[in-house]
Amino acid sequence: MFRFSLQKALEVRARVERMKMKGLAEKLAIQQELETAIKEIRTKTAGQDGLLNAHKKQGRIDLIEWRMLQQFKDKMQVDLSGLNNKLSHAAQAVEEKRLELVEASRQRKTLEILREKEERRYQKKMTHFELLQADEAAGNYFLLNKAKGMHA
């Protein structure tokens, strides 16, 4: 039966790869949350702009409403700036985790290739051994039949 000499190392590398996948998934989730928050801010700001424009068309704009909208937009701009900064850091973290995963996958695949080569050598050796045994059995059978033929 075939036993890969580096099986434990392969299992460890596969486990490391799974951990790297999990780390990447966590960073991607953070990045997606930030992107969603940014979209929400843009949607809210656009909605308030639309409301102000509708009031302008109806001639119902007042200074207090306009000031409140301006303060809202200023706050959203500050929030958006902070979220964009966090998103930039999150994207960088995602890229780092992606590169770590690529490296972990490469290391695991390297050992899998070694395992496959080792298994092919083992199978070739076993096939050769079986052929030698078959040849020896056939030779023994031939000699046995030849010996029986001489005694008969």
Side-chain angles (χ1 to χ4, degrees):
M1 173 183 263
F2 173 72
R3 287 189 52 139
F4 180 47
S5 60
L6 298 173
Q7 185 62 38
K8 289 292 181 190
L10 179 59
E11 291 168 4
V12 167
R13 287 190 179 175
R15 194 172 325 120
V16 166
E17 183 182 20
R18 285 190 302 274
M19 289 175 13
K20 298 294 182 184
M21 267 188 226
K22 183 179 178 186
L24 175 60
E26 290 170 353
K27 296 298 181 185
L28 277 170
I30 291 169
Q31 183 180 8
Q32 289 172 348
E33 287 174 9
L34 290 168
E35 288 171 350
T36 300
I38 288 170
K39 285 178 186 175
E40 286 176 11
I41 287 176
R42 289 187 175 143
T43 300
K44 286 178 184 178
T45 303
Q48 290 300 315
D49 278 340
L51 185 63
L52 182 64
N53 287 336
H55 285 180
K56 281 181 187 178
K57 286 180 182 178
Q58 295 172 357
R60 295 186 319 136
I61 182 104
D62 63 17
L63 192 54
I64 295 172
E65 184 179 9
W66 183 81
R67 251 193 206 152
M68 286 176 54
L69 176 63
Q70 217 36 59
Q71 289 173 348
F72 171 78
K73 287 173 71 173
D74 289 345
K75 181 183 180 331
M76 290 297 109
Q77 194 59 39
V78 169
D79 291 351
L80 194 58
S81 176
L83 286 173
N84 280 325
N85 190 29
K86 287 180 182 179
L87 181 61
S88 174
H89 290 296
Q92 185 179 359
V94 164
E95 182 60 18
E96 288 171 6
K97 291 294 182 182
R98 188 190 65 77
L99 291 174
E100 289 175 10
L101 176 58
V102 166
E103 179 61 21
S105 294
R106 188 189 62 75
Q107 290 179 357
R108 178 192 50 80
K109 287 177 185 175
T110 299
L111 280 182
E112 283 182 349
I113 290 168
L114 287 174
R115 184 192 69 202
E116 290 169 4
K117 287 180 179 180
E118 193 173 306
E119 188 171 10
R120 280 194 299 270
R121 281 193 299 267
Y122 173 80
Q123 292 299 334
K124 189 175 181 181
K125 190 183 212 182
M126 291 306 295
T127 301
H128 180 71
F129 178 71
E130 289 169 359
L131 285 173
L132 287 177
Q133 283 185 327
D135 285 348
E136 185 178 341
N140 289 341
Y141 183 72
F142 175 76
L143 291 175
L144 183 63
N145 281 341
K146 188 175 181 180
K148 281 183 182 180
M150 292 183 132
H151 291 301

